[in-house]
Amino acid sequence: MTHVEDELNSQPECWTRAATEAAGLGGVLPAPGERVAVVGCGTSYFMAQAFAALREGSGRGETDAFAASEYPHGRSYDRVLALTRSGTTTEVLDLLGRLKGRTPTVAITADPDTPVMAVADEVVVLDYADERSVVQTRFATTVLTLLRAHLGLHTDAAVADARAALAGELPEGLVECEQFTFLGRGWTVGLANEAGLKMREASLSWTEAYPAMEYRHGPISITTGGTATWMFGEAPEGLAEQVRSTGGLWIEGRLDPLAELVRAQRLAVAVAAARGLDPDRPRHLTRSVILAP
């Protein structure tokens, strides 16, 4: 078993622990009414997108998500939340250092022995969700579970669905597809983006991701036999039928959307195996992007 397989299989246990811990972090994580920016890079950026949509959509306050390198320094925020598994990513550290003494910052990381501990005002450490694999799985979903629980939006049903996602068979014909498109709405757009990234990283697949209503505005033109379109959450009316009419494979997400992401992680590993690739050693990637001064 690869590291990434072992780590993605441990997600239900990690989620349960994170949901329990969230209750004690009310004074650290963003408070209701605060204007918040959430930042990250790669997978963490997509989790930031999901949380930002969840928080603002639940009425907790205006919430924006940015790649750390694209943070708008001309805007004013009450708090900046940074997501960084390694605690060493250059763009995140540079941003937190620049904000120190100006804007309160909180970082969520997996490693307490990294530079982020010194540059963030507050740090939440999820060391039990750390990973050996370059490809992120359990840290990202555990962070989002922690934040969903902080908002009061996590339920035990999500953990049960994650177990179902790990135990069930992948849809017939999915692994053999040549192209994959992931769709989301609201907070699940971030999950769709992350599913596409997992497929690219682990299996070198041709993947795309869009807000579901945008799919009709051009991207559906590539859909045909041998392609798959996977919906995270409830699909817009008529879209499933429109995709099926092209000959493409339609995958309807029936589980909690975060558990659907677990299924997509499994797909990435399965496609990698079918192509003779090692998902623990993705091409051109390292565990953290650390730029030379």
Side-chain angles (χ1 to χ4, degrees):
M1 182 177 291
T2 62
H3 294 316
V4 70
E5 287 176 284
D6 181 59
E7 290 156 1
L8 73 85
N9 284 328
S10 70
Q11 288 175 105
E13 291 74 25
C14 289
W15 295 8
T16 299
R17 181 168 174 178
T20 300
E21 291 181 356
L25 294 172
V28 176
L29 296 175
E34 288 185 331
R35 188 166 188 255
V36 174
V38 195
V39 301
C41 299
T43 288
S44 292
Y45 171 44
F46 297 141
M47 295 300 101
Q49 289 179 334
F51 174 60
L54 276 173
R55 185 176 185 270
E56 186 159 325
S58 63
R60 302 312 203 277
E62 184 176 344
T63 316
D64 297 321
F66 303 103
S69 59
E70 298 299 318
Y71 180 82
H73 288 277
R75 296 189 188 180
S76 175
Y77 290 98
D78 298 314
R79 190 179 306 267
V80 171
L81 174 64
L83 311 181
T84 170
R85 176 182 65 171
S86 69
T88 60
T89 303
T90 297
E91 297 102 300
V92 173
L93 296 179
D94 286 351
L95 174 60
L96 292 174
R98 187 170 173 181
L99 294 174
K100 200 166 187 65
R102 297 169 46 203
T103 303
T105 60
V106 182
I108 304 180
T109 188
D111 190 344
D113 298 316
T114 52
V116 74
M117 304 296 291
V119 292
D121 297 324
E122 302 274 3
V123 181
V124 177
V125 179
L126 305 180
D127 51 357
Y128 55 89
D130 202 356
E131 297 159 324
R132 296 179 64 183
S133 177
V134 171
V135 176
Q136 281 200 54
T137 54
R138 72 181 178 193
F139 178 74
T141 61
T142 300
V143 167
L144 191 52
T145 296
L146 178 84
L147 295 172
R148 287 177 82 184
H150 171 65
L151 297 175
L153 300 176
H154 171 80
T155 68
D156 291 340
V159 177
D161 278 359
R163 297 189 191 281
L166 292 167
E169 297 292 330
L170 292 172
E172 184 177 354
L174 185 58
V175 172
E176 291 74 29
C177 286
E178 298 175 352
Q179 189 275 341
F180 304 87
T181 299
F182 299 94
L183 306 177
R185 303 181 81 178
W187 74 282
T188 69
V189 172
L191 302 187
N193 287 333
E194 170 59 9
L197 180 61
K198 285 289 90 63
M199 293 295 295
R200 287 189 290 273
E201 289 178 332
S203 66
L204 307 182
S205 294
W206 170 20
T207 64
E208 300 178 354
Y210 303 96
M213 290 296 288
E214 285 296 303
Y215 193 50
R216 295 183 173 102
H217 295 270
I220 197 171
S221 63
I222 66 169
T223 308
T224 186
T227 71
T229 303
W230 190 328
M231 183 71 213
F232 284 75
E234 184 178 355
E237 184 176 356
L239 185 57
E241 292 75 15
Q242 190 173 358
V243 170
R244 291 189 183 107
S245 71
T246 70
L249 179 62
W250 171 261
I251 306 297
E252 183 174 351
R254 300 180 182 274
L255 302 173
D256 179 275
L258 198 54
E260 285 293 323
L261 179 57
V262 174
R263 283 215 301 163
Q265 294 168 348
R266 288 186 57 211
L267 173 63
V269 172
V271 173
R275 296 177 179 177
L277 302 172
D278 181 354
D280 281 338
R281 295 175 176 81
R283 189 171 66 183
H284 310 316
L285 297 179
T286 57
R287 188 173 183 274
S288 174
V289 176
I290 302 173
L291 304 177

